[in-house]
């Protein structure tokens, strides 16, 4: 089967020959793909919503993989036992939800070898949480699909120094690689900051200090864009 661009990018970050738990599996696309390609011996496909999970069950059966992919109804990692999977894949959710899933089941994922995450928002907060938990970002990818920018990351155990806040926002590996989509990522961050600033300027409260700090942050991001463009 062929995956969408964002799911293919996430799958590319999954180490080969590892048992995976795909959380929020929807139709079970990633587990089926990984098993069909011979990259995954077994998988768990989990979803909290019965409808998507049933779609995954059907897809798994039609693919002849019912003996290798276990479909489970459950909330996040709560339906996974410690040691059952080598790593977890969590795609297509907002950053706060991904963090809450990890916070709910530390005993499960802290025993894993890797996490492949694709936060739809607040990716900086996800990175910061991983570093605070004693993990670090080993690999990252970004792509644009249907006009939207997607970010993927692979985290592994091992405590490393917390990156600066701005590096958490754009990804330390993305920065190290000087990813071609970094400028677009930073421009989206600036757009969000400017939207916040516009709201603050209309506030009846005195927001001058906050606006000044935000303006400094926007200037910082523009300097980084200039640096990236000058290096090309």
């Amino acid at each position: 089967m062929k995956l969408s661009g964002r799911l293919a990018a996430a799958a590319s970050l999954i180490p080969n020959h590892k048992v995976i738990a795909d959380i929020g599996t929807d139709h079970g696309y990633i587990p089926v793909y990984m098993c069909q390609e011979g990259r995954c011996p077994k998988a768990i496909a989990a979803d909290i919503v019965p409808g998507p999970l049933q779609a995954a069950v059907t897809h798994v059966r039609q693919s002849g993989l019912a003996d290798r992919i276990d479909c489970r109804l459950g909330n996040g990692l709560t339906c996974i036992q410690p040691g059952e999977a080598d790593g977890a894949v969590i795609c297509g959710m907002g950053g706060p939800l991904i963090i809450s899933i990890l916070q709910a089941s530390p005993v499960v994922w802290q025993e894993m070898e890797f996490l492949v995450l694709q936060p739809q928002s607040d990716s900086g907060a996800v990175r910061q949480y991983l570093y605070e938990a004693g993990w670090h970002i080993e690999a990252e990818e970004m792509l644009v699909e249907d006009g939207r920018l997607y970010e993927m990351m692979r985290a592994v155990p091992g405590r490393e120094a917390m990156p600066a806040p701005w590096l958490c926002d754009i990804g330390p590996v993305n920065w190290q690689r000087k990813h071609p989509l970094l400028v677009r990522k930073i421009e989206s961050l600036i757009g969000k900051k400017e939207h916040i600033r516009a709201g603050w300027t209309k506030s009846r409260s005195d927001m001058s200090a906050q606006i000044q700090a935000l303006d400094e942050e926007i200037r910082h991001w523009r300097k980084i864009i200039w640096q990236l463009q000058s290096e090309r």
Side-chain angles (χ1 to χ4, degrees):
M1 64 170 290
K2 185 176 181 180
L3 296 176
S4 66
R6 72 176 182 89
L7 292 183
S12 72
L13 296 178
I14 302 173
N16 289 330
H17 313 304
K18 302 292 184 180
V19 177
I20 63 170
D22 185 32
I23 307 303
T25 195
D26 195 7
H27 285 64
Y29 292 127
I30 286 181
V32 168
Y33 170 82
M34 293 294 292
C35 288
Q36 283 183 336
E37 293 294 308
R39 293 183 52 199
C40 179
K42 291 182 179 180
I44 300 168
D47 208 293
I48 192 175
V49 183
L53 185 68
Q54 185 55 50
V57 170
T58 301
H59 188 198
V60 167
R61 288 175 179 170
Q62 290 175 343
S63 302
L65 293 168
D67 60 331
R68 294 172 59 190
I69 301 176
D70 184 10
C71 297
R72 300 181 186 178
L73 184 66
N75 185 3
L77 289 161
T78 60
C79 60
I80 312 296
Q81 295 298 313
E84 270 195 301
D86 298 311
V89 181
I90 310 178
C91 295
M93 302 182 196
L97 179 54
I98 289 176
I99 292 172
S100 69
I101 287 173
L102 297 178
Q103 288 175 330
S105 304
V107 70
V108 176
W109 67 272
Q110 283 286 7
E111 290 194 14
M112 291 180 172
E113 299 175 18
F114 65 90
L115 295 171
V116 172
L117 309 175
Q118 187 255 299
Q120 302 277 61
S121 63
D122 300 296
S123 60
V126 174
R127 292 185 183 96
Q128 182 175 346
Y129 176 79
L130 291 167
Y131 277 86
E132 289 173 346
W135 284 45
H136 64 274
I137 306 300
E138 181 181 63
E140 294 181 300
E141 187 55 87
M142 291 192 290
L143 64 84
V144 175
E145 185 174 53
D146 297 329
R148 179 168 183 170
L149 179 67
Y150 291 95
E151 298 177 70
M152 301 84 184
M153 63 191 76
R154 181 173 71 235
V156 295
R159 189 171 295 279
E160 291 190 359
M162 173 75 72
W166 66 273
L167 273 177
C168 282
D169 283 339
I170 62 175
V173 179
N174 287 329
W175 175 254
Q176 184 180 27
R177 292 174 54 198
K178 296 298 185 286
H179 196 288
L181 288 173
L182 266 180
V183 170
R184 176 162 179 160
K185 168 63 180 178
I186 294 171
E187 286 175 342
S188 73
L189 288 172
I190 290 174
K192 292 175 184 176
K193 303 294 182 185
E194 289 178 336
H195 180 74
I196 293 172
R197 188 189 190 285
W200 284 352
T201 58
K202 298 175 183 178
S203 174
R204 294 181 180 179
S205 304
D206 181 11
M207 305 292 290
S208 56
Q210 292 91 330
I211 290 173
Q212 183 177 357
L214 196 58
D215 284 343
E216 181 58 34
E217 191 174 350
I218 291 172
R219 282 193 293 271
H220 168 76
W221 284 122
R222 294 199 184 281
K223 288 179 182 177
I224 292 177
I225 288 179
W226 179 85
Q227 179 181 343
L228 287 169
Q229 291 176 333
S230 66
E231 291 175 356
R232 292 180 179 174

